[in-house]
Amino acid sequence: MTAFPFSLSWLVAVLLLLLFVQRFRGDQRRFGNGVLLGLCTLVLLVGAALELDRLPRPVARAVTGGIVVGAVLSAVVVSGLLLATGVRMVRAEGGRLANLLSLLAGSAILAALGLLVACARAEDGPFRAVATAALLVAGYLSFLLVCFVGYALLYQRVATHRPVDFVVVLGAGLTNGSTVPPLLAARLDRALALVRSQAARGRTPVLLVSGGKGSDEQLSEAEAMAEYLTARGVPGERIVQERSSTNTRENLEFSRAMMERLRPGYRCVVVTNDFHALRAAITARRAGVRGEAASAPTAAYYWPNATLREFAAVLTAYPVTNLAVCAVLAVAGARAAWS
């Protein structure tokens, strides 16, 4: 009786995988690609779960129990890692709200596990309805987060070797208002490596550094980046500065306008840190920039918090879809639990 559902799950998974490959080949800079890959994996897991009915009952129970225990332990371990990196993040970078995301995420995982246990034991209808609605929404957001992280890691490893006319470096805040911090230095070093790689193939791309002057900065991020590059032997005439932007969207829109003016029909590569690469690529596609994003490494303690921040930014880029799905899941879960 389970052969048909499992065969159907295989078919759906293959169709999702083919759709992913088609969209990925068309444009890698889509978050929807990651969602398709996540759905393909989820369907395969559901099919595998259905196959447990084929096993002898004691074996099926043991496997199911092992999966549940493994899932809970994994959640606890992830929560612990998030809490530990969150504490280090606050100590190193300060206690601003943007630096608390790892701590909040780790606490939320533990809270969700507690709510799951309470919901399973509760007999009160209203509580079960609210708890089920909250857990379904949390499950949806967790699924999207896994899709985001998984696809971001995949995207960073699909290197583009196309010839480019520009290597665009996205700015970041300066230390003491004038000094390139390690985060930004990693981007610039990665950009230099890309320029050398292009030069080895006979091309001489222009370095376009993008970043305006913040209220607490003595000079623009673009100027500080240009000084960093010239100090490392890059001729000034090979550097173009975009000094007006204040965020990633403006970085890319203003840089696109400059590239179109300097070299119509250009190709480029956009350099940023690994946690930011996928969102930069998504934003570049929306801004009409002709090029992929390349990533520079980030300190391990900084990566989880920064990745969560990027995930939140991507979620807000699709407000209608995400709010609609959350609303449907909450209402359906509450009704099912109440009944």
Side-chain angles (χ1 to χ4, degrees), residues 264-303:
Y266 71 91
R267 291 292 306 180
C268 75
V269 60
V270 179
V271 182
T272 186
N273 289 91
D274 46 16
F275 63 84
H276 187 229
L278 181 55
R279 184 164 76 90
I282 293 170
T283 307
R285 181 181 66 82
R286 290 185 164 192
V289 174
R290 289 190 288 274
E292 301 290 344
S295 60
T298 309
Y301 79 88
Y302 194 91
W303 185 86

PDB file of all heavy atoms in Angstrom, residues 264-303:
ATOM      1  N   PRO A 264      29.259  50.149 -21.979  1.00  0.00           N
ATOM      2  CA  PRO A 264      27.968  49.521 -22.284  1.00  0.00           C
ATOM      3  C   PRO A 264      28.152  48.033 -22.628  1.00  0.00           C
ATOM      4  O   PRO A 264      29.120  47.653 -23.294  1.00  0.00           O
ATOM      5  CB  PRO A 264      27.478  50.318 -23.497  1.00  0.00           C
ATOM      6  CG  PRO A 264      28.179  51.639 -23.391  1.00  0.00           C
ATOM      7  CD  PRO A 264      29.533  51.328 -22.815  1.00  0.00           C
ATOM      8  N   GLY A 265      27.220  47.227 -22.162  1.00  0.00           N
ATOM      9  CA  GLY A 265      27.316  45.793 -22.407  1.00  0.00           C
ATOM     10  C   GLY A 265      28.311  45.085 -21.509  1.00  0.00           C
ATOM     11  O   GLY A 265      28.715  43.958 -21.789  1.00  0.00           O
ATOM     12  N   TYR A 266      28.678  45.721 -20.405  1.00  0.00           N
ATOM     13  CA  TYR A 266      29.677  45.193 -19.464  1.00  0.00           C
ATOM     14  C   TYR A 266      29.241  43.847 -18.860  1.00  0.00           C
ATOM     15  O   TYR A 266      28.072  43.488 -18.869  1.00  0.00           O
ATOM     16  CB  TYR A 266      29.861  46.193 -18.318  1.00  0.00           C
ATOM     17  CG  TYR A 266      28.657  46.234 -17.391  1.00  0.00           C
ATOM     18  CD1 TYR A 266      28.588  45.401 -16.273  1.00  0.00           C
ATOM     19  CD2 TYR A 266      27.564  47.043 -17.664  1.00  0.00           C
ATOM     20  CE1 TYR A 266      27.473  45.390 -15.457  1.00  0.00           C
ATOM     21  CE2 TYR A 266      26.444  47.045 -16.847  1.00  0.00           C
ATOM     22  CZ  TYR A 266      26.402  46.218 -15.748  1.00  0.00           C
ATOM     23  OH  TYR A 266      25.290  46.190 -14.944  1.00  0.00           O
ATOM     24  N   ARG A 267      30.230  43.153 -18.300  1.00  0.00           N
ATOM     25  CA  ARG A 267      29.997  42.049 -17.375  1.00  0.00           C
ATOM     26  C   ARG A 267      30.793  42.355 -16.111  1.00  0.00           C
ATOM     27  O   ARG A 267      31.857  42.968 -16.170  1.00  0.00           O
ATOM     28  CB  ARG A 267      30.471  40.719 -17.954  1.00  0.00           C
ATOM     29  CG  ARG A 267      29.659  40.190 -19.120  1.00  0.00           C
ATOM     30  CD  ARG A 267      28.274  39.772 -18.746  1.00  0.00           C
ATOM     31  NE  ARG A 267      28.245  38.815 -17.643  1.00  0.00           N
ATOM     32  CZ  ARG A 267      27.116  38.306 -17.136  1.00  0.00           C
ATOM     33  NH1 ARG A 267      25.938  38.685 -17.606  1.00  0.00           N
ATOM     34  NH2 ARG A 267      27.162  37.442 -16.159  1.00  0.00           N
ATOM     35  N   CYS A 268      30.280  41.926 -14.967  1.00  0.00           N
ATOM     36  CA  CYS A 268      30.972  42.225 -13.713  1.00  0.00           C
ATOM     37  C   CYS A 268      30.850  41.054 -12.740  1.00  0.00           C
ATOM     38  O   CYS A 268      30.085  40.115 -12.964  1.00  0.00           O
ATOM     39  CB  CYS A 268      30.405  43.492 -13.060  1.00  0.00           C
ATOM     40  SG  CYS A 268      28.787  43.273 -12.279  1.00  0.00           S
ATOM     41  N   VAL A 269      31.628  41.138 -11.673  1.00  0.00           N
ATOM     42  CA  VAL A 269      31.468  40.251 -10.529  1.00  0.00           C
ATOM     43  C   VAL A 269      31.397  41.154  -9.303  1.00  0.00           C
ATOM     44  O   VAL A 269      32.152  42.123  -9.184  1.00  0.00           O
ATOM     45  CB  VAL A 269      32.615  39.226 -10.425  1.00  0.00           C
ATOM     46  CG1 VAL A 269      33.965  39.900 -10.284  1.00  0.00           C
ATOM     47  CG2 VAL A 269      32.380  38.274  -9.262  1.00  0.00           C
ATOM     48  N   VAL A 270      30.463  40.872  -8.414  1.00  0.00           N
ATOM     49  CA  VAL A 270      30.235  41.680  -7.217  1.00  0.00           C
ATOM     50  C   VAL A 270      30.844  40.953  -6.028  1.00  0.00           C
ATOM     51  O   VAL A 270      30.482  39.804  -5.751  1.00  0.00           O
ATOM     52  CB  VAL A 270      28.732  41.918  -6.990  1.00  0.00           C
ATOM     53  CG1 VAL A 270      28.504  42.738  -5.722  1.00  0.00           C
ATOM     54  CG2 VAL A 270      28.120  42.624  -8.199  1.00  0.00           C
ATOM     55  N   VAL A 271      31.742  41.607  -5.312  1.00  0.00           N
ATOM     56  CA  VAL A 271      32.451  40.974  -4.206  1.00  0.00           C
ATOM     57  C   VAL A 271      31.897  41.472  -2.874  1.00  0.00           C
ATOM     58  O   VAL A 271      31.772  42.674  -2.649  1.00  0.00           O
ATOM     59  CB  VAL A 271      33.967  41.266  -4.271  1.00  0.00           C
ATOM     60  CG1 VAL A 271      34.687  40.559  -3.127  1.00  0.00           C
ATOM     61  CG2 VAL A 271      34.530  40.824  -5.611  1.00  0.00           C
ATOM     62  N   THR A 272      31.574  40.528  -2.013  1.00  0.00           N
ATOM     63  CA  THR A 272      31.102  40.836  -0.668  1.00  0.00           C
ATOM     64  C   THR A 272      31.488  39.662   0.232  1.00  0.00           C
ATOM     65  O   THR A 272      32.175  38.742  -0.202  1.00  0.00           O
ATOM     66  CB  THR A 272      29.589  41.103  -0.661  1.00  0.00           C
ATOM     67  OG1 THR A 272      29.184  41.531   0.647  1.00  0.00           O
ATOM     68  CG2 THR A 272      28.801  39.867  -1.062  1.00  0.00           C
ATOM     69  N   ASN A 273      31.036  39.681   1.476  1.00  0.00           N
ATOM     70  CA  ASN A 273      31.362  38.567   2.371  1.00  0.00           C
ATOM     71  C   ASN A 273      30.423  37.391   2.148  1.00  0.00           C
ATOM     72  O   ASN A 273      29.322  37.540   1.607  1.00  0.00           O
ATOM     73  CB  ASN A 273      31.307  39.018   3.829  1.00  0.00           C
ATOM     74  CG  ASN A 273      32.457  39.939   4.176  1.00  0.00           C
ATOM     75  OD1 ASN A 273      32.329  41.148   4.048  1.00  0.00           O
ATOM     76  ND2 ASN A 273      33.587  39.385   4.584  1.00  0.00           N
ATOM     77  N   ASP A 274      30.832  36.202   2.605  1.00  0.00           N
ATOM     78  CA  ASP A 274      30.080  34.986   2.324  1.00  0.00           C
ATOM     79  C   ASP A 274      28.639  35.045   2.831  1.00  0.00           C
ATOM     80  O   ASP A 274      27.713  34.603   2.150  1.00  0.00           O
ATOM     81  CB  ASP A 274      30.803  33.757   2.875  1.00  0.00           C
ATOM     82  CG  ASP A 274      31.308  33.939   4.301  1.00  0.00           C
ATOM     83  OD1 ASP A 274      30.861  34.883   4.985  1.00  0.00           O
ATOM     84  OD2 ASP A 274      32.145  33.123   4.738  1.00  0.00           O
ATOM     85  N   PHE A 275      28.417  35.607   4.013  1.00  0.00           N
ATOM     86  CA  PHE A 275      27.061  35.655   4.551  1.00  0.00           C
ATOM     87  C   PHE A 275      26.155  36.566   3.731  1.00  0.00           C
ATOM     88  O   PHE A 275      24.928  36.438   3.777  1.00  0.00           O
ATOM     89  CB  PHE A 275      27.084  36.138   6.016  1.00  0.00           C
ATOM     90  CG  PHE A 275      27.604  37.546   6.194  1.00  0.00           C
ATOM     91  CD1 PHE A 275      26.776  38.638   6.026  1.00  0.00           C
ATOM     92  CD2 PHE A 275      28.930  37.766   6.537  1.00  0.00           C
ATOM     93  CE1 PHE A 275      27.250  39.932   6.186  1.00  0.00           C
ATOM     94  CE2 PHE A 275      29.420  39.052   6.708  1.00  0.00           C
ATOM     95  CZ  PHE A 275      28.570  40.144   6.525  1.00  0.00           C
ATOM     96  N   HIS A 276      26.740  37.478   2.975  1.00  0.00           N
ATOM     97  CA  HIS A 276      25.995  38.510   2.251  1.00  0.00           C
ATOM     98  C   HIS A 276      25.865  38.195   0.765  1.00  0.00           C
ATOM     99  O   HIS A 276      25.109  38.854   0.045  1.00  0.00           O
ATOM    100  CB  HIS A 276      26.721  39.853   2.453  1.00  0.00           C
ATOM    101  CG  HIS A 276      26.000  41.042   1.906  1.00  0.00           C
ATOM    102  ND1 HIS A 276      26.619  41.984   1.109  1.00  0.00           N
ATOM    103  CD2 HIS A 276      24.724  41.459   2.051  1.00  0.00           C
ATOM    104  CE1 HIS A 276      25.762  42.922   0.784  1.00  0.00           C
ATOM    105  NE2 HIS A 276      24.602  42.631   1.334  1.00  0.00           N
ATOM    106  N   ALA A 277      26.590  37.178   0.285  1.00  0.00           N
ATOM    107  CA  ALA A 277      26.700  36.954  -1.158  1.00  0.00           C
ATOM    108  C   ALA A 277      25.360  36.659  -1.814  1.00  0.00           C
ATOM    109  O   ALA A 277      25.052  37.217  -2.879  1.00  0.00           O
ATOM    110  CB  ALA A 277      27.683  35.814  -1.431  1.00  0.00           C
ATOM    111  N   LEU A 278      24.544  35.793  -1.221  1.00  0.00           N
ATOM    112  CA  LEU A 278      23.279  35.436  -1.864  1.00  0.00           C
ATOM    113  C   LEU A 278      22.334  36.627  -1.929  1.00  0.00           C
ATOM    114  O   LEU A 278      21.718  36.887  -2.965  1.00  0.00           O
ATOM    115  CB  LEU A 278      22.617  34.266  -1.132  1.00  0.00           C
ATOM    116  CG  LEU A 278      21.286  33.789  -1.734  1.00  0.00           C
ATOM    117  CD1 LEU A 278      21.439  33.434  -3.200  1.00  0.00           C
ATOM    118  CD2 LEU A 278      20.736  32.600  -0.958  1.00  0.00           C
ATOM    119  N   ARG A 279      22.214  37.375  -0.835  1.00  0.00           N
ATOM    120  CA  ARG A 279      21.323  38.538  -0.880  1.00  0.00           C
ATOM    121  C   ARG A 279      21.848  39.590  -1.857  1.00  0.00           C
ATOM    122  O   ARG A 279      21.062  40.239  -2.556  1.00  0.00           O
ATOM    123  CB  ARG A 279      21.143  39.163   0.498  1.00  0.00           C
ATOM    124  CG  ARG A 279      20.134  40.330   0.481  1.00  0.00           C
ATOM    125  CD  ARG A 279      19.663  40.684   1.864  1.00  0.00           C
ATOM    126  NE  ARG A 279      20.643  41.414   2.620  1.00  0.00           N
ATOM    127  CZ  ARG A 279      20.754  42.758   2.630  1.00  0.00           C
ATOM    128  NH1 ARG A 279      19.942  43.487   1.876  1.00  0.00           N
ATOM    129  NH2 ARG A 279      21.648  43.355   3.380  1.00  0.00           N
ATOM    130  N   ALA A 280      23.162  39.751  -1.909  1.00  0.00           N
ATOM    131  CA  ALA A 280      23.732  40.686  -2.884  1.00  0.00           C
ATOM    132  C   ALA A 280      23.401  40.243  -4.304  1.00  0.00           C
ATOM    133  O   ALA A 280      23.078  41.067  -5.174  1.00  0.00           O
ATOM    134  CB  ALA A 280      25.239  40.791  -2.694  1.00  0.00           C
ATOM    135  N   ALA A 281      23.461  38.929  -4.555  1.00  0.00           N
ATOM    136  CA  ALA A 281      23.133  38.402  -5.884  1.00  0.00           C
ATOM    137  C   ALA A 281      21.658  38.633  -6.211  1.00  0.00           C
ATOM    138  O   ALA A 281      21.319  39.024  -7.338  1.00  0.00           O
ATOM    139  CB  ALA A 281      23.475  36.918  -5.951  1.00  0.00           C
ATOM    140  N   ILE A 282      20.789  38.385  -5.238  1.00  0.00           N
ATOM    141  CA  ILE A 282      19.348  38.614  -5.449  1.00  0.00           C
ATOM    142  C   ILE A 282      19.092  40.086  -5.742  1.00  0.00           C
ATOM    143  O   ILE A 282      18.331  40.437  -6.667  1.00  0.00           O
ATOM    144  CB  ILE A 282      18.558  38.160  -4.210  1.00  0.00           C
ATOM    145  CG1 ILE A 282      18.657  36.641  -4.044  1.00  0.00           C
ATOM    146  CG2 ILE A 282      17.098  38.581  -4.315  1.00  0.00           C
ATOM    147  CD1 ILE A 282      18.118  36.136  -2.713  1.00  0.00           C
ATOM    148  N   THR A 283      19.721  40.965  -4.969  1.00  0.00           N
ATOM    149  CA  THR A 283      19.549  42.399  -5.165  1.00  0.00           C
ATOM    150  C   THR A 283      20.123  42.836  -6.512  1.00  0.00           C
ATOM    151  O   THR A 283      19.550  43.696  -7.194  1.00  0.00           O
ATOM    152  CB  THR A 283      20.227  43.180  -4.030  1.00  0.00           C
ATOM    153  OG1 THR A 283      19.763  42.689  -2.772  1.00  0.00           O
ATOM    154  CG2 THR A 283      19.925  44.670  -4.123  1.00  0.00           C
ATOM    155  N   ALA A 284      21.256  42.241  -6.904  1.00  0.00           N
ATOM    156  CA  ALA A 284      21.854  42.563  -8.197  1.00  0.00           C
ATOM    157  C   ALA A 284      20.920  42.201  -9.341  1.00  0.00           C
ATOM    158  O   ALA A 284      20.782  42.954 -10.319  1.00  0.00           O
ATOM    159  CB  ALA A 284      23.190  41.836  -8.344  1.00  0.00           C
ATOM    160  N   ARG A 285      20.265  41.050  -9.236  1.00  0.00           N
ATOM    161  CA  ARG A 285      19.311  40.662 -10.286  1.00  0.00           C
ATOM    162  C   ARG A 285      18.173  41.656 -10.376  1.00  0.00           C
ATOM    163  O   ARG A 285      17.786  42.082 -11.473  1.00  0.00           O
ATOM    164  CB  ARG A 285      18.757  39.259  -9.987  1.00  0.00           C
ATOM    165  CG  ARG A 285      17.763  38.748 -11.031  1.00  0.00           C
ATOM    166  CD  ARG A 285      17.234  37.379 -10.665  1.00  0.00           C
ATOM    167  NE  ARG A 285      16.435  37.408  -9.458  1.00  0.00           N
ATOM    168  CZ  ARG A 285      15.142  37.755  -9.409  1.00  0.00           C
ATOM    169  NH1 ARG A 285      14.502  38.109 -10.517  1.00  0.00           N
ATOM    170  NH2 ARG A 285      14.493  37.739  -8.273  1.00  0.00           N
ATOM    171  N   ARG A 286      17.658  42.073  -9.228  1.00  0.00           N
ATOM    172  CA  ARG A 286      16.551  43.025  -9.223  1.00  0.00           C
ATOM    173  C   ARG A 286      16.982  44.396  -9.738  1.00  0.00           C
ATOM    174  O   ARG A 286      16.174  45.129 -10.314  1.00  0.00           O
ATOM    175  CB  ARG A 286      15.986  43.153  -7.806  1.00  0.00           C
ATOM    176  CG  ARG A 286      15.251  41.909  -7.325  1.00  0.00           C
ATOM    177  CD  ARG A 286      14.615  42.138  -5.972  1.00  0.00           C
ATOM    178  NE  ARG A 286      13.619  41.129  -5.675  1.00  0.00           N
ATOM    179  CZ  ARG A 286      12.752  41.221  -4.671  1.00  0.00           C
ATOM    180  NH1 ARG A 286      12.789  42.268  -3.853  1.00  0.00           N
ATOM    181  NH2 ARG A 286      11.861  40.260  -4.461  1.00  0.00           N
ATOM    182  N   ALA A 287      18.247  44.737  -9.506  1.00  0.00           N
ATOM    183  CA  ALA A 287      18.751  46.044  -9.941  1.00  0.00           C
ATOM    184  C   ALA A 287      19.210  46.037 -11.393  1.00  0.00           C
ATOM    185  O   ALA A 287      19.606  47.073 -11.921  1.00  0.00           O
ATOM    186  CB  ALA A 287      19.912  46.473  -9.042  1.00  0.00           C
ATOM    187  N   GLY A 288      19.162  44.881 -12.046  1.00  0.00           N
ATOM    188  CA  GLY A 288      19.562  44.791 -13.441  1.00  0.00           C
ATOM    189  C   GLY A 288      21.057  44.758 -13.657  1.00  0.00           C
ATOM    190  O   GLY A 288      21.534  45.071 -14.755  1.00  0.00           O
ATOM    191  N   VAL A 289      21.813  44.369 -12.636  1.00  0.00           N
ATOM    192  CA  VAL A 289      23.267  44.274 -12.751  1.00  0.00           C
ATOM    193  C   VAL A 289      23.631  42.990 -13.484  1.00  0.00           C
ATOM    194  O   VAL A 289      23.140  41.917 -13.137  1.00  0.00           O
ATOM    195  CB  VAL A 289      23.930  44.307 -11.357  1.00  0.00           C
ATOM    196  CG1 VAL A 289      25.437  44.067 -11.470  1.00  0.00           C
ATOM    197  CG2 VAL A 289      23.658  45.634 -10.668  1.00  0.00           C
ATOM    198  N   ARG A 290      24.515  43.093 -14.458  1.00  0.00           N
ATOM    199  CA  ARG A 290      24.916  41.921 -15.239  1.00  0.00           C
ATOM    200  C   ARG A 290      26.151  41.294 -14.600  1.00  0.00           C
ATOM    201  O   ARG A 290      27.290  41.627 -14.950  1.00  0.00           O
ATOM    202  CB  ARG A 290      25.188  42.326 -16.691  1.00  0.00           C
ATOM    203  CG  ARG A 290      23.935  42.685 -17.473  1.00  0.00           C
ATOM    204  CD  ARG A 290      24.238  42.847 -18.950  1.00  0.00           C
ATOM    205  NE  ARG A 290      24.997  44.070 -19.215  1.00  0.00           N
ATOM    206  CZ  ARG A 290      24.443  45.264 -19.413  1.00  0.00           C
ATOM    207  NH1 ARG A 290      23.113  45.397 -19.344  1.00  0.00           N
ATOM    208  NH2 ARG A 290      25.184  46.312 -19.659  1.00  0.00           N
ATOM    209  N   GLY A 291      25.924  40.389 -13.659  1.00  0.00           N
ATOM    210  CA  GLY A 291      27.039  39.731 -13.009  1.00  0.00           C
ATOM    211  C   GLY A 291      26.617  38.943 -11.786  1.00  0.00           C
ATOM    212  O   GLY A 291      25.542  39.188 -11.218  1.00  0.00           O
ATOM    213  N   GLU A 292      27.459  38.003 -11.394  1.00  0.00           N
ATOM    214  CA  GLU A 292      27.233  37.195 -10.207  1.00  0.00           C
ATOM    215  C   GLU A 292      27.948  37.802  -9.010  1.00  0.00           C
ATOM    216  O   GLU A 292      28.681  38.792  -9.135  1.00  0.00           O
ATOM    217  CB  GLU A 292      27.737  35.767 -10.441  1.00  0.00           C
ATOM    218  CG  GLU A 292      27.095  35.045 -11.612  1.00  0.00           C
ATOM    219  CD  GLU A 292      25.641  34.674 -11.367  1.00  0.00           C
ATOM    220  OE1 GLU A 292      25.220  34.711 -10.185  1.00  0.00           O
ATOM    221  OE2 GLU A 292      24.949  34.342 -12.339  1.00  0.00           O
ATOM    222  N   ALA A 293      27.736  37.206  -7.840  1.00  0.00           N
ATOM    223  CA  ALA A 293      28.408  37.651  -6.615  1.00  0.00           C
ATOM    224  C   ALA A 293      29.469  36.643  -6.219  1.00  0.00           C
ATOM    225  O   ALA A 293      29.267  35.436  -6.337  1.00  0.00           O
ATOM    226  CB  ALA A 293      27.396  37.822  -5.484  1.00  0.00           C
ATOM    227  N   ALA A 294      30.610  37.146  -5.767  1.00  0.00           N
ATOM    228  CA  ALA A 294      31.689  36.306  -5.237  1.00  0.00           C
ATOM    229  C   ALA A 294      31.847  36.610  -3.760  1.00  0.00           C
ATOM    230  O   ALA A 294      31.612  37.735  -3.320  1.00  0.00           O
ATOM    231  CB  ALA A 294      32.991  36.574  -5.990  1.00  0.00           C
ATOM    232  N   SER A 295      32.256  35.605  -2.986  1.00  0.00           N
ATOM    233  CA  SER A 295      32.265  35.762  -1.527  1.00  0.00           C
ATOM    234  C   SER A 295      33.674  35.767  -0.960  1.00  0.00           C
ATOM    235  O   SER A 295      34.571  35.111  -1.465  1.00  0.00           O
ATOM    236  CB  SER A 295      31.460  34.645  -0.867  1.00  0.00           C
ATOM    237  OG  SER A 295      32.009  33.380  -1.182  1.00  0.00           O
ATOM    238  N   ALA A 296      33.812  36.538   0.119  1.00  0.00           N
ATOM    239  CA  ALA A 296      35.044  36.573   0.904  1.00  0.00           C
ATOM    240  C   ALA A 296      34.748  35.955   2.260  1.00  0.00           C
ATOM    241  O   ALA A 296      33.608  36.021   2.749  1.00  0.00           O
ATOM    242  CB  ALA A 296      35.524  38.012   1.065  1.00  0.00           C
ATOM    243  N   PRO A 297      35.748  35.358   2.917  1.00  0.00           N
ATOM    244  CA  PRO A 297      35.502  34.683   4.198  1.00  0.00           C
ATOM    245  C   PRO A 297      35.189  35.658   5.328  1.00  0.00           C
ATOM    246  O   PRO A 297      35.549  36.832   5.288  1.00  0.00           O
ATOM    247  CB  PRO A 297      36.822  33.937   4.455  1.00  0.00           C
ATOM    248  CG  PRO A 297      37.847  34.728   3.707  1.00  0.00           C
ATOM    249  CD  PRO A 297      37.147  35.237   2.481  1.00  0.00           C
ATOM    250  N   THR A 298      34.499  35.122   6.345  1.00  0.00           N
ATOM    251  CA  THR A 298      34.104  35.902   7.511  1.00  0.00           C
ATOM    252  C   THR A 298      34.505  35.146   8.769  1.00  0.00           C
ATOM    253  O   THR A 298      34.527  33.909   8.769  1.00  0.00           O
ATOM    254  CB  THR A 298      32.573  36.125   7.522  1.00  0.00           C
ATOM    255  OG1 THR A 298      32.176  36.647   6.248  1.00  0.00           O
ATOM    256  CG2 THR A 298      32.157  37.085   8.609  1.00  0.00           C
ATOM    257  N   ALA A 299      34.787  35.860   9.841  1.00  0.00           N
ATOM    258  CA  ALA A 299      35.110  35.225  11.126  1.00  0.00           C
ATOM    259  C   ALA A 299      33.974  34.300  11.545  1.00  0.00           C
ATOM    260  O   ALA A 299      32.793  34.636  11.393  1.00  0.00           O
ATOM    261  CB  ALA A 299      35.355  36.287  12.188  1.00  0.00           C
ATOM    262  N   ALA A 300      34.318  33.127  12.082  1.00  0.00           N
ATOM    263  CA  ALA A 300      33.319  32.103  12.404  1.00  0.00           C
ATOM    264  C   ALA A 300      32.271  32.609  13.390  1.00  0.00           C
ATOM    265  O   ALA A 300      31.075  32.313  13.244  1.00  0.00           O
ATOM    266  CB  ALA A 300      34.013  30.865  12.956  1.00  0.00           C
ATOM    267  N   TYR A 301      32.683  33.368  14.405  1.00  0.00           N
ATOM    268  CA  TYR A 301      31.729  33.832  15.408  1.00  0.00           C
ATOM    269  C   TYR A 301      30.734  34.831  14.818  1.00  0.00           C
ATOM    270  O   TYR A 301      29.611  34.982  15.313  1.00  0.00           O
ATOM    271  CB  TYR A 301      32.467  34.474  16.598  1.00  0.00           C
ATOM    272  CG  TYR A 301      32.937  35.885  16.355  1.00  0.00           C
ATOM    273  CD1 TYR A 301      32.105  36.977  16.624  1.00  0.00           C
ATOM    274  CD2 TYR A 301      34.207  36.143  15.851  1.00  0.00           C
ATOM    275  CE1 TYR A 301      32.539  38.274  16.385  1.00  0.00           C
ATOM    276  CE2 TYR A 301      34.634  37.426  15.621  1.00  0.00           C
ATOM    277  CZ  TYR A 301      33.801  38.501  15.889  1.00  0.00           C
ATOM    278  OH  TYR A 301      34.214  39.777  15.652  1.00  0.00           O
ATOM    279  N   TYR A 302      31.143  35.528  13.767  1.00  0.00           N
ATOM    280  CA  TYR A 302      30.320  36.586  13.171  1.00  0.00           C
ATOM    281  C   TYR A 302      29.294  36.028  12.192  1.00  0.00           C
ATOM    282  O   TYR A 302      28.228  36.597  12.007  1.00  0.00           O
ATOM    283  CB  TYR A 302      31.246  37.570  12.447  1.00  0.00           C
ATOM    284  CG  TYR A 302      30.607  38.877  12.055  1.00  0.00           C
ATOM    285  CD1 TYR A 302      30.632  39.970  12.911  1.00  0.00           C
ATOM    286  CD2 TYR A 302      29.983  39.027  10.818  1.00  0.00           C
ATOM    287  CE1 TYR A 302      30.061  41.177  12.546  1.00  0.00           C
ATOM    288  CE2 TYR A 302      29.404  40.234  10.447  1.00  0.00           C
ATOM    289  CZ  TYR A 302      29.447  41.300  11.316  1.00  0.00           C
ATOM    290  OH  TYR A 302      28.863  42.494  10.954  1.00  0.00           O
ATOM    291  N   TRP A 303      29.631  34.869  11.576  1.00  0.00           N
ATOM    292  CA  TRP A 303      28.827  34.355  10.470  1.00  0.00           C
ATOM    293  C   TRP A 303      27.374  34.035  10.844  1.00  0.00           C
ATOM    294  O   TRP A 303      26.460  34.423  10.103  1.00  0.00           O
ATOM    295  CB  TRP A 303      29.519  33.117   9.883  1.00  0.00           C
ATOM    296  CG  TRP A 303      28.853  32.580   8.662  1.00  0.00           C
ATOM    297  CD1 TRP A 303      29.045  32.957   7.375  1.00  0.00           C
ATOM    298  CD2 TRP A 303      27.846  31.557   8.627  1.00  0.00           C
ATOM    299  NE1 TRP A 303      28.243  32.238   6.530  1.00  0.00           N
ATOM    300  CE2 TRP A 303      27.490  31.373   7.272  1.00  0.00           C
ATOM    301  CE3 TRP A 303      27.216  30.786   9.599  1.00  0.00           C
ATOM    302  CZ2 TRP A 303      26.538  30.440   6.878  1.00  0.00           C
ATOM    303  CZ3 TRP A 303      26.259  29.854   9.202  1.00  0.00           C
ATOM    304  CH2 TRP A 303      25.936  29.687   7.860  1.00  0.00           C
TER     305      TRP A 303
END
